[in-house]
């Protein structure tokens, strides 16, 4: 729509609608103070003076304050004895002037817009889809949709909000995710000024989104923070619009009840156009738009255009959400796979440690025994011969070399010498949890549960500690009754972190059996494994123990010193 | 004369310890297995101290120690093993001392003296 002036006088509005000129009844140009600058020869009776005019045209005040705001058609308020008119209000011939054009009241402006809407909406959808195709994330797609809804060259609403479906505490909800629009008339004026001088176009605004330099678009984003509408609340109109997949204009009077207080407080009052976003497969959310700044009434034709636009946008939103969901699942799978590989490595390390310990034991036994005998007899002989004896030097050499081998053996057989230790401060809960994850596939006869309150930090090599816990958990599982629950409770007791092992029943017998296994276990292998676990725990100042709480309560526990900064 | 029982399945170790402790003035009784040691003790070859190996074929040193603690509570026992990891085995804590085998017998001899003096 283009307004034309000649010598400061209004000459017409260029439009495809020929009925505009035919139904013109007169015009007025007002200055920034709301005073008449020019009037046509005849003007409708309602416009005799500026005050009366402002009463009849509630949008006039806004246009006088913001003469650069794009023009729009309004209906004058019908007074008792006066006729209602269709009125166009928009920029006047000078930059601080406003033009008011009066038409016959019977002029069907909305009908005309609907007649031309197919071309208009097709153009908007083409532009928006072109931009959407270039977007690489859902957030940008939603912003492009919102721009299409609010830009003057788009659907022209003042503000728009997108709510997407999601689960909150296992309840299906509509969650406010994105908003666009000015938060005040001043901000609106600045944006419309840029629009009027051609600094901002629909394409340039889409470009801004794609370049991630959103300007003037986040002002009302904060209004949505945490806004959630439960979909199972059947009395809620927004939930109804979503579930019944029907568009509606919700009048402000309907919202004036306590149920919508949060929404009213955030978005302000005024009629809202609500359109469901329904993809090919499922409901995606709702699109809400209003004319918060201009207070321009939302018509059925506005709603229909919004609905057409939303229909195309919904498919894209659905596709992208499905894609994002798929991408998230792929990433989850990747992470799970990485965890499996890491866990397998840890399990191999624990098993390798056990094998190494066994090997070290054999080496110790097979080497240390003859070494003791050779060295022992050499020393014995050395004591009995004088230093000038021919063999004295040679026996001395044997004793020295045996001593060297013994020292080397001492290092070799100390199990922790094999381990490259990577000590660091870590969360004990995370270590216990990851150990159980590691063993998850093997723990078929019992269910583990972890109880942990405060964050407890320890300093150790997490892998090494996990290896100790694996060996203990192996034993803990081997003696538990089938299909029982085992609770691991992590607590702080003084400077110690304690992990209690408690089965669902027969706690005392279980604790005694597990503890006894550490020192009276059935065979060398079991005892050696538990000895390895204990060696690791003790290396870090930890231990195992048995706690008696009354006659019938007994708990097996693993303890580790708590790490505290500066101590 | 104090009687020391050496329990070890390695003949060379038994021979070394027998020689060393005999020369130090002790009466040395030898057992090549855990069961043999228990039998000898029950058959009145009651020692004043036992030097006990752990890894043995029939009955390991920790099991022997456990039985000895049940029957002969006051009998001093020194666990003498080529393994160091058994130090963490709780049963080994029942012994009066745990010494890893070494060609240098001075520590073992010192411990024997100490326990027999008490």
């Amino acid at each position: 729509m283009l307004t034309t002036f000649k010598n400061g006088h209004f000459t017409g509005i260029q439009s495809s609608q020929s009925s505009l000129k035919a139904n013109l009844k007169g015009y007025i140009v007002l200055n920034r103070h709301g005073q008449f600058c020019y009037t046509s020869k005849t003007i409708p009776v309602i416009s005799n003076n500026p005050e009366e005019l402002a009463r009849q045209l509630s949008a006039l005040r806004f246009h006088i304050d913001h003469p650069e705001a794009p023009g729009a058609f309004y209906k004058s308020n019908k007074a008792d004895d006066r006729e209602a008119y269709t009125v166009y209000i928009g920029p006047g011939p000078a930059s601080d002037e406003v033009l008011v054009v009066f038409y016959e009241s019977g002029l069907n402006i909305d009908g005309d817009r609907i007649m031309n809407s197919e071309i208009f909406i097709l153009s908007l959808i083409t532009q928006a889809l072109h931009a959407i195709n270039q977007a690489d994330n859902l957030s940008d797609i939603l912003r492009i949709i919102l721009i299409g809804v609010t830009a003057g060259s788009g659907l022209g609403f003042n503000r728009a909000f997108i709510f997407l479906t999601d689960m909150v505490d296992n309840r299906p909800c509509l969650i406010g995710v994105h908003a666009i629009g000015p938060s005040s008339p001043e901000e609106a004026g600045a944006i419309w000024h840029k629009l009027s001088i051609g600094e901002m176009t629909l394409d340039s605004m889409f470009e801004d989104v794609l370049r991630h330099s959103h300007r003037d678009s986040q002002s009302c984003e904060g209004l949505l923070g945490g806004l959630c509408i439960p979909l199972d609340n059947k009395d809620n109109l927004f939930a109804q619009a979503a579930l019944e997949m029907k568009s509606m204009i919700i009048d402000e009077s309907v919202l004036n009840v306590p149920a919508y207080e949060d929404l009213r407080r955030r978005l302000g009052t005024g009629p809202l156009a609500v359109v469901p976003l329904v993809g090919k497969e499922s409901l995606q959310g709702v699109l809400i738009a209003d004319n918060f700044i201009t207070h321009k009434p939302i018509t059925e034709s506005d709603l229909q255009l919004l609905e057409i636009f939303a229909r195309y946008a919904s498919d894209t939103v659905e596709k992208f959400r499905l894609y994002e969901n798929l991408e998230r699942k792929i990433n989850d799978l990747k992470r799970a796979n990485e965890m499996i590989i890491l866990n397998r490595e840890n399990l191999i390390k624990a098993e390798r440690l056990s094998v190494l310990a066994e090997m070290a034991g054999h080496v110790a036994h097979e080497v240390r025994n003859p070494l003791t005998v050779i060295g022992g007899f050499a020393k014995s002989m050395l004591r009995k011969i004088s230093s000038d004896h021919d063999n004295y030097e040679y026996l001395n050499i044997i004793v020295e070399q045996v001593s060297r081998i013994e020292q080397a053996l001492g290092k070799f057989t100390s199990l922790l010498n094999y381990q490259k230790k990577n000590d660091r401060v870590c969360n004990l809960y995370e270590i216990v949890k990851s150990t159980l994850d590691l063993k998850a596939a093997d723990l078929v006869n019992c269910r583990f549960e972890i109880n942990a309150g405060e964050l407890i930090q320890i300093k150790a090599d997490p892998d090494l500690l996990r290896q100790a816990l694996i060996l203990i958990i192996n034993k803990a599982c081997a003696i538990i009754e089938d299909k029982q629950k085992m609770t691991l409770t992590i607590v702080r007791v003084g400077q110690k972190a304690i992990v209690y092992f408690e089965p669902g029943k027969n706690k005392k017998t279980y604790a005694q059996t597990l503890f006894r296994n550490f020192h009276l276990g059935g065979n060398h292998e079991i005892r050696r494994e538990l000895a390895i676990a204990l060696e690791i725990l003790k290396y870090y100042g930890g231990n195992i123990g048995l706690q008696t709480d009354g006659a019938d309560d007994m708990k097996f526990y693993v303890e580790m010193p708590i790490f505290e900064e500066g101590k | 004369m104090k009687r020391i029982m050496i329990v070890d399945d390695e003949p060379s170790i038994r021979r070394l310890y027998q020689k060393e402790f005999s020369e130090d003035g002790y009466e040395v009784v030898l057992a090549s297995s855990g069961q043999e040691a228990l039998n000898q003790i029950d058959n009145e070859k009651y020692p004043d101290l036992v030097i006990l190996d752990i890894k043995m074929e029939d009955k390991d040193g920790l099991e022997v120690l456990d039985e000895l603690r049940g029957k002969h509570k006051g009998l001093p026992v020194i666990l003498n093993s080529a393994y160091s990891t058994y130090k963490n085995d709780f049963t080994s804590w029942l012994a009066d001392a745990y010494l890893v085998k070494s060609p240098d017998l001075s520590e073992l001899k010192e411990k024997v003296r100490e326990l027999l003096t008490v």
Side-chain angles (χ1 to χ4, degrees):
Chain A
M1 209 83 71
L2 184 67
T3 336
T4 54
F5 298 92
K6 192 174 179 183
N7 298 326
H9 289 270
F10 172 72
T11 54
I13 292 175
Q14 286 184 6
S15 166
S16 58
Q17 190 173 353
S18 56
S19 58
L20 282 179
K21 195 171 180 180
N23 292 288
L24 197 141
K25 298 293 289 179
Y27 69 91
I28 304 168
V29 175
L30 296 100
N31 66 14
R32 68 169 69 178
H33 307 294
Q35 295 160 336
F36 291 181
C37 299
Y38 309 104
T39 61
S40 56
K41 284 176 187 164
T42 56
I43 52 171
V45 68
I46 66 158
S47 57
N48 281 344
N49 63 71
E51 290 76 22
E52 179 64 23
L53 190 64
R55 269 196 297 278
Q56 296 296 322
L57 297 167
S58 47
L60 183 61
R61 189 70 250 163
F62 172 79
H63 281 275
I64 290 170
D65 292 341
H66 303 282
E68 71 283 1
F73 287 96
Y74 302 94
K75 279 201 164 47
S76 68
N77 298 330
K78 190 177 185 309
D80 290 342
D81 54 347
R82 288 171 186 166
E83 202 177 347
Y85 286 87
T86 297
V87 179
Y88 169 88
I89 309 177
S95 62
D96 59 348
E97 291 174 343
V98 173
L99 169 72
V100 182
V101 187
F102 298 89
Y103 295 97
E104 287 285 1
S105 59
L107 178 69
N108 187 356
I109 299 297
D110 290 323
D112 184 72
R113 279 185 64 185
I114 291 166
M115 274 187 350
N116 292 290
S117 66
E118 283 174 15
I119 299 165
F120 164 75
I121 200 76
L122 203 61
S123 156
L124 174 64
I125 288 167
T126 307
Q127 275 176 284
L129 285 180
H130 178 70
I132 283 170
N133 280 338
Q134 295 173 67
D136 58 5
N137 63 75
L138 183 64
S139 180
D140 283 357
I141 289 173
L142 298 179
R143 286 181 195 285
I144 288 168
I145 292 168
L146 290 173
I147 286 172
V149 173
T150 53
S153 46
L155 295 174
F157 282 94
N158 290 171
R159 300 189 304 180
F161 308 89
I162 286 184
F163 286 68
L164 293 182
T165 51
D166 207 345
M167 298 297 282
V168 177
D169 298 331
N170 290 324
R171 284 179 84 186
C173 291
L174 291 169
I175 312 284
V177 287
H178 279 296
I180 197 169
S183 56
S184 65
E186 290 70 31
E187 199 182 334
I191 295 168
W192 287 329
H193 175 67
K194 286 177 185 172
L195 286 165
S196 67
I197 61 173
E199 193 181 297
M200 281 167 83
T201 63
L202 197 57
D203 278 336
S204 77
M205 283 188 276
F206 289 156
E207 275 297 308
D208 280 354
V209 172
L210 295 171
R211 285 201 307 268
H212 302 284
S213 55
H214 321 299
R215 52 186 188 194
D216 306 325
S217 62
Q218 282 85 16
S219 314
C220 61
E221 194 108 310
L223 298 174
L224 292 181
L227 192 53
C228 170
I229 301 167
L231 276 170
D232 52 9
N233 181 0
K234 302 282 190 294
D235 295 331
N236 187 293
L237 288 170
F238 301 92
Q240 280 176 24
L243 293 174
E244 294 169 21
M245 296 179 188
K246 67 175 185 193
S247 304
M248 56 174 83
I249 296 169
I250 300 178
D251 193 70
E252 58 185 301
S253 60
V254 178
L255 297 174
N256 201 18
V257 290
Y260 298 109
E261 193 185 335
D262 187 29
L263 194 85
R264 264 196 340 266
R265 191 169 41 79
R266 287 161 183 261
L267 307 189
T269 53
L272 299 171
V274 184
V275 174
L277 293 169
V278 186
K280 283 194 172 66
E281 302 292 329
S282 61
L283 174 74
Q284 297 300 312
V286 291
L287 181 60
I288 299 174
D290 71 0
N291 288 325
F292 178 70
I293 305 291
T294 59
H295 301 292
K296 181 175 168 276
I298 300 169
T299 63
E300 282 301 321
S301 64
D302 291 334
L303 191 67
Q304 281 175 27
L305 292 178
L306 189 63
E307 205 174 28
I308 296 168
F309 184 64
R311 209 174 296 147
Y312 283 91
S314 303
D315 284 347
T316 318
V317 170
E318 181 176 61
K319 275 179 199 154
F320 219 90
R321 289 184 88 191
L322 283 172
Y323 169 74
E324 280 198 342
N325 198 23
L326 198 64
E327 199 176 29
R328 203 163 32 243
K329 280 181 180 163
I330 289 170
N331 285 335
D332 286 349
L333 276 173
K334 274 185 189 166
R335 267 195 298 277
N337 199 36
E338 281 165 8
M339 276 302 290
I340 288 169
I341 291 168
L342 186 71
N343 285 349
R344 196 185 296 145
E345 282 171 3
N346 274 327
L347 204 56
I348 290 167
K349 274 185 195 168
E351 283 167 359
R352 193 165 52 206
L353 198 65
S354 180
V355 171
L356 278 173
E358 192 177 350
M359 193 179 78
H362 284 308
V363 170
H365 193 256
E366 297 307 314
V367 177
R368 203 186 288 276
N369 270 340
L371 204 64
T372 301
V373 172
I374 295 165
F377 278 118
K379 275 194 170 187
S380 176
M381 287 164 72
L382 202 58
R383 278 201 305 271
K384 288 174 184 167
I385 59 172
S386 63
S387 57
D388 55 356
H389 192 280
D390 289 347
N391 291 331
Y392 185 86
E393 185 192 355
Y394 308 131
L395 283 171
N396 226 350
I397 290 170
I398 292 172
V399 170
E400 278 175 18
Q401 294 306 310
V402 163
S403 177
R404 277 184 63 186
I405 298 171
E406 194 195 9
Q407 283 175 19
L409 196 63
K411 288 180 187 169
F412 178 66
T413 53
S414 173
L415 144 81
L416 293 174
N417 282 330
Y418 296 124
Q419 290 292 116
K420 187 181 170 189
K421 288 173 282 295
N422 182 19
D423 294 351
R424 59 176 187 265
V425 179
C426 38
N427 179 347
L428 182 59
Y429 167 80
E430 291 296 335
I431 290 181
V432 174
K433 169 83 172 53
S434 57
T435 307
L436 290 176
D437 290 344
L438 190 70
K439 291 294 299 171
D442 300 333
L443 301 177
V444 286
N445 69 325
C446 60
R447 278 182 299 119
F448 273 84
E449 198 176 275
I450 309 176
N451 273 344
E454 61 177 314
L455 170 73
I456 296 177
Q457 291 189 310
I458 54 161
K459 191 169 186 182
D461 179 332
D463 282 348
L464 203 54
L465 199 55
R466 265 193 287 269
Q467 287 159 26
L469 288 173
I470 284 171
L471 297 171
I472 295 171
I473 287 168
N474 278 348
K475 183 42 61 189
C477 285
I479 60 165
I480 200 167
E481 283 178 39
D482 208 21
K483 306 288 178 200
Q484 256 210 63
K485 186 177 85 172
M486 167 71 83
T487 307
L488 301 186
T489 307
I490 305 172
V491 292
R492 179 195 183 110
V493 179
Q495 294 305 304
K496 299 277 186 188
I498 310 281
V499 184
Y500 290 110
F501 286 62
E502 290 176 278
K505 53 184 179 181
N506 301 329
K507 290 182 185 178
K508 187 177 179 181
T509 313
Y510 176 82
Q512 284 172 330
T513 310
L514 184 55
F515 190 75
R516 206 163 39 239
N517 261 294
F518 266 83
H519 54 101
L520 291 172
N523 58 50
H524 280 287
E525 199 177 331
I526 291 171
R527 267 192 271 175
R528 191 168 51 246
E529 284 188 355
L530 293 176
I532 292 166
L534 200 53
E535 189 174 343
I536 294 170
L537 290 176
K538 284 188 171 179
Y539 178 83
Y540 289 114
N543 210 336
I544 63 164
L546 208 54
Q547 183 177 306
T548 309
D549 299 323
D552 296 318
D553 196 7
M554 197 175 265
K555 288 184 245 180
F556 174 86
Y557 66 83
V558 169
E559 69 173 31
M560 281 288 289
I562 286 176
F563 172 81
E564 280 177 305
E565 200 73 53
K567 287 192 178 175
Chain B
M1 188 185 281
K2 297 283 185 184
R3 182 185 290 165
I4 298 174
M5 176 179 273
I6 311 288
V7 188
D8 203 305
D9 59 352
E10 280 277 335
S12 306
I13 293 282
R14 288 201 303 273
R15 183 73 190 90
L16 174 69
Y17 285 8
Q18 184 186 33
K19 180 178 180 297
E20 287 288 316
F21 284 105
S22 298
E23 285 175 5
D24 285 359
Y26 298 104
E27 181 190 345
V28 179
V29 183
L30 302 175
S32 60
S33 71
Q35 192 54 55
E36 188 186 339
L38 289 170
N39 291 341
Q40 284 191 25
I41 292 168
D42 288 343
N43 291 326
E44 312 226 337
K45 274 198 176 176
Y46 196 85
D48 295 297
L49 183 143
V50 177
I51 297 174
L52 183 61
D53 186 20
I54 293 179
K55 185 82 186 291
M56 291 182 291
E57 286 301 317
D58 64 338
K59 186 174 267 189
D60 76 45
L62 296 176
E63 289 171 88
V64 174
L65 176 63
D66 200 38
E67 285 192 39
L68 285 178
R69 283 288 167 260
K71 290 180 184 171
H72 312 284
K73 283 192 171 61
L75 177 61
V77 177
I78 298 173
L79 284 173
N80 190 223
S81 171
Y83 290 94
S84 57
T85 50
Y86 285 112
K87 276 183 185 174
N88 287 326
D89 191 311
F90 286 177
T91 310
S92 73
W93 299 0
L94 296 173
D96 295 274
Y98 186 111
L99 294 174
V100 176
K101 281 179 183 172
S102 166
D104 184 354
L105 299 181
S106 54
E107 195 183 355
L108 178 64
K109 286 182 177 179
E110 180 55 39
K111 188 53 77 178
V112 168
R113 256 195 307 277
E114 182 191 313
L115 290 171
L116 288 178
T117 306
V118 174

